[in-house]
Amino acid sequence: MSEPDSFSGRLGLRSMAIVHDDAPIGFRHAVIGALKAEIVSSETIIGIVQRGTTLPRPPGHIINTILMAMIEKCEWWRVFDVAEAGHAAIHAEPYFGPDRAKAFERAINEACRANGLGWKMEEGIFAVVASTAQYDSAASIIENLDTAQLKTSASELREAHRDLSRRPFPDISGGMQHAGAAIECLAREISGDTKLTLGDIIKKREDLFPGAYRKMADAMWGIVSNQGRHIKEEGEPTLEEALFVVGSITNLSAYLLARRRTAR
């Protein structure tokens, strides 16, 4: 999806998104502003906010006061529920619904960037990201795997990113397990060694993993094997660590896909 036609959008200037468990006041207000920009009926907007926040309608007749009271009071993750509900309502409108939903999505993503939030809305659903650039790259790689008919690897990577996007608590171990399954499945398909573990393939196939690439692949496999499959007593990795690992494995998948033609 294209970025807004702005200075930062045209030049590809993007800040690193670092906050994953908060909805600052600026973002809350931006969600309400985006709803107002695309929905004419104030009562429709209030209904969306009520459903998303699960809060009763506060007393009063001033629409803006009512909306701000609800959006400012709710838990952080419910603000994202409101935004997703808003997108669904806008998209369902006849005639210009899909176009308006795209405009709403652009506004929401701009608000995420402006507030340093590690989330991006894509087709009405939020996905967790370390940065918007990383998310865009991952989406492209998964699409390329699908195009290459590597459906299982694509599906596992997609599930890995979805697990890390769960709110309010990400499924970190699940995300890392899916990422490990994706890269192992891909390595098996490309190498033709369908019964070996990825660790064995890394050791056996120097043509696939030469030099430093072998070390990187072995390190990523070690992390998902030890922390994704066998969580230690010190606890599971942080979300930031999981984003790094899943992102690295996604990029490693792109590398293997590029070597597919000469691998056998």
Side-chain angles (χ1 to χ4, degrees):
M1 180 170 294
S2 62
E3 300 294 339
D5 185 20
S6 61
F7 175 80
S8 59
R10 292 193 304 273
L11 297 185
L13 302 176
R14 300 171 179 177
S15 61
M16 287 296 293
I18 57 174
V19 179
H20 297 100
D21 57 355
D22 192 17
I25 195 69
F27 179 69
R28 292 171 186 250
H29 289 181
V31 169
I32 297 299
L35 288 171
K36 288 182 177 180
E38 305 301 336
I39 299 178
V40 175
S41 169
S42 297
E43 289 302 319
T44 299
I45 298 174
I46 290 176
I48 291 170
V49 175
Q50 276 189 285
R51 290 194 299 274
T53 62
T54 70
L55 294 174
R57 178 171 179 161
H61 301 287
I62 302 176
I63 299 301
N64 193 61
T65 301
I66 293 172
L67 292 172
M68 293 308 174
M70 286 190 287
I71 204 70
E72 290 177 4
K73 184 179 180 181
C74 69
E75 298 96 331
W76 71 266
W77 65 87
R78 296 200 183 279
V79 180
F80 292 85
D81 289 341
V82 169
E84 288 188 349
H87 183 281
I90 296 167
H91 192 277
E93 288 293 320
Y95 304 112
F96 302 112
D99 290 338
R100 289 185 176 274
K102 289 179 181 178
F104 175 79
E105 185 165 286
R106 286 194 295 269
I108 293 299
N109 285 334
E110 182 62 34
C112 285
R113 287 191 294 272
N115 287 274
L117 300 179
W119 297 92
K120 182 177 182 180
M121 179 180 277
E122 186 74 22
E123 297 184 356
I125 303 296
F126 281 105
V128 67
V129 296
S131 70
T132 53
Q134 184 192 73
Y135 178 80
D136 291 342
S137 174
S140 177
I141 292 168
I142 293 171
E143 182 179 352
N144 289 340
L145 288 170
D146 267 327
T147 301
Q149 298 301 309
L150 297 167
K151 301 294 185 180
T152 301
S153 295
S155 176
E156 290 289 346
L157 273 183
R158 194 174 288 113
E159 286 301 317
H161 288 275
R162 284 176 180 170
D163 278 347
L164 299 186
S165 299
R166 297 187 186 279
R167 328 186 282 279
F169 305 111
D171 184 358
I172 290 176
S173 60
M176 296 181 79
Q177 287 176 31
H178 280 298
I183 194 66
E184 184 173 60
C185 179
L186 180 59
R188 284 173 171 173
E189 196 282 334
I190 292 176
S191 68
D193 293 319
T194 59
K195 295 184 179 180
L196 296 181
T197 67
L198 176 61
D200 291 333
I201 295 173
I202 292 171
K203 295 175 183 177
K204 181 180 178 181
R205 296 295 299 270
E206 293 186 9
D207 59 321
L208 280 180
F209 301 99
Y213 292 97
R214 189 194 319 174
K215 294 180 180 179
M216 181 182 73
D218 195 48
M220 291 300 106
W221 179 243
I223 291 173
V224 296
S225 295
N226 293 330
Q227 296 184 336
R229 298 182 177 185
H230 308 292
I231 299 176
K232 298 179 180 179
E233 287 298 326
E234 57 264 30
E236 66 179 12
T238 65
L239 177 58
E240 288 71 25
E241 290 169 341
L243 282 168
F244 171 77
V245 171
V246 173
S248 297
I249 287 176
T250 302
N251 290 327
L252 184 59
S253 298
Y255 165 78
L256 284 179
L257 184 59
R259 296 183 66 87
R260 186 186 189 195
R261 292 182 180 180
T262 60
R264 296 185 181 181

